[in-house]
Amino acid sequence: MSDEFRECPITCETRCVDEDYCPDINPGHTIRNGFVEINLVVSGSGIHQIMNEADEFCPGDIHIIGGGVSHSYYAIGCEDKPVIYTLSFEPSAFLDHSLWDIESERYCLGVFRDTFPISASVLNTTMTEEFKNLFKEISDEISEKPPEWQTVVGANLTILLAKLGRYMDMADTVKVEYAKTRMTVFNAKRLIEENCHDNAMTLVSLASSLYVSPSYLSRIFAKATGETFSNYVRNIRIERACKLLKTTNLTNREIVNQCGLKDIPSFYRIFKALMGMTPYQYKMSQKIYQGESVMSILVEISENLQKGKAKIVKELVQSSLDNGLPAVQILNDGLLSGMSVIGEKFKNGEVYVPEVLVAARAMNQGMELLKPFLVEDGVQSKGKVCIGTVQGDLHDIGKNIVKMMMEGKGLEVIDLGVDVAPESFVQAAIENECAVICCSALLTTTMGVMAEVVKASETAGIRDKVKIMVGGAPVTDGFCREIGADTYTPDAASAADAAVEHCSSL
Ligand code: B1M
């Protein structure tokens, strides 16, 4: 509680309303939390705007408004500008606790009920004089401030409130515009928004600043919003995190701090549970959604693959797919482009085998996600082929892509793996009645094995029944012809097309 607040628990003033009403007006001043404002319309008429509602007022109206509510009076172009007595006070500073107990059904001397009216219009001109006098007495006491002023004000206030309470019971014209629960929930929501960066904000702390008990706040909050207080706060924090992910380049640590979250692991866990994706995926998806740059996510895939960050590569590939990027584009411009950079660096001695291995692992994990998109489900087999990386060679990434593409074209592919002997290719082709044998090689030292595959098929007497396709980085069309193989293709897509053609021509 600030000193100013302690020093001035009551004010009494006469307002002359001179601003004319116009729609979309800013609804004026907000009453301090814990305070109550009682306004008596002494003369004139106009519009009383409370929250986002506006009502006409006239002499004799009494408006009682609770803390946290914003309202204002406006004239409606008349000559006689309205005059209003405003008494604003903090009940707890003047009344015995039993008289203002906020937990009781009717508190503050019975003026405020369970359904706390934040604005009550009481129409009875015969009472105006009486209330005017009470206002005056209180006002005089406040302005003079003798040592006993607070006791005297308290006594006058008690009379005013008691009369008001009795009067409100009798009057059938009391208009209750807002209920206490609604206002408390409204204020709670506002405070949550304002303080969601503070991870010390709890139901207890919030209830205390709203002058209600935690159990009461928890109950009315759940009833009014349909969700628990903690879920609501969690959602607001994640909403803010989304906004920051979308609009800033803050780190996860900074986002956790700015959203009042506990730590990075719980941020990830909660975010994934609510959004169905990781914060990183969300950030990327928003970038794509905003059309910022499709290329930027592909560059990120490539860069993370080069660093061997398999987890991030997976996330990025998933985001790209979720946002409708074609799988082939993700493969070519993301994964493969990253892999070719690594290859270049490996050649120049800038990176070594371990780096290449982790990059390959990242590539494979990304590929796993792409696979279902590259392979058309349920396509009727267009023919059978067997594929493998030749003996002495352990490189299988390219071979696996070729396999996937072929499956995507509806071919049935028998994968013989890596380090496959020439006889194994031939045997597999015979056993499975394959129309095509596909050999992949990445090393200049193992390319020669392809020639042995051709020979082995001749020896086995199947050369005229199978087509032999070759490929891999060091392989060329000339080499293909030189060893007597049938087809060389430089990439996986053209390999798949050629295999389909071979199968259909047999
Ligand atoms: Co090695 N490696 N590697 N390597 N490795 C290369 C191939 C190399 C060119 C690197 C370099 O020096 N720049 C070099 C070969 C040099 C040469 O012979 N001229 C090399 C070397 C030397 C080695 C070792 C000897 C290194 C060592 O130990 N000192 C060693 C050999 C191990 C062995 O096989 N016995 C070795 C080991 C490895 C790792 C295990 C670390 C790893 C392989 C992991 C794995 O595959 N699971 C690896 C990797 C990853 C590479 C590079 C960096 C990338 C290969 C790759 O996956 N590319 C590679 C450098 C490079 O190529 N830039 C390199 C991506 C892949 C999608 O492309 O395989 O070309 P690619 O496939 C393409 C096309 O070629 C085509 O379609 C694919 C998609 O479009 N294609 C076909 C492939 N097969 C096809 C078949 C077809 C048709 C098309 O029809 C049947």
Side-chain angles (χ1 to χ4, degrees), residues 332 336 339-348 353-354 356-357 359-360 363-364 387-388 392-402 406 437-446 450 469-474 487-495:
N332 289 334
L336 288 181
M339 206 42 152
S340 78
V341 175
I342 274 289
E344 238 357 80
K345 286 188 175 167
F346 188 52
K347 191 165 82 188
N348 301 332
V353 173
V356 180
L357 265 178
M363 166 100 191
N364 281 331
I387 191 168
D393 202 329
L394 303 175
H395 296 85
D396 66 355
I397 297 174
K399 183 263 299 172
N400 290 342
I401 297 175
V402 174
M406 287 183 170
I437 291 175
C438 302
C439 306
S440 178
L442 263 283
L443 299 170
T444 41
T445 49
T446 58
M450 291 174 166
M469 287 178 55
V470 291
T487 313
Y488 158 77
T489 52
D491 56 58
S494 55

Side-chain angles (χ1 to χ4, degrees), residues 417-470:
V418 294
D419 193 20
V420 183
E423 301 72 30
S424 303
F425 277 106
V426 174
Q427 198 186 341
I430 296 170
E431 281 171 10
N432 298 288
E433 298 179 338
C434 294
V436 188
I437 291 175
C438 302
C439 306
S440 178
L442 263 283
L443 299 170
T444 41
T445 49
T446 58
M447 283 164 68
V449 179
M450 291 174 166
E452 292 176 36
V453 176
V454 177
K455 278 199 196 104
S457 69
E458 287 165 356
T459 313
I462 60 161
R463 184 66 189 93
D464 55 343
K465 295 191 185 72
V466 288
K467 296 286 181 191
I468 298 177
M469 287 178 55
V470 291

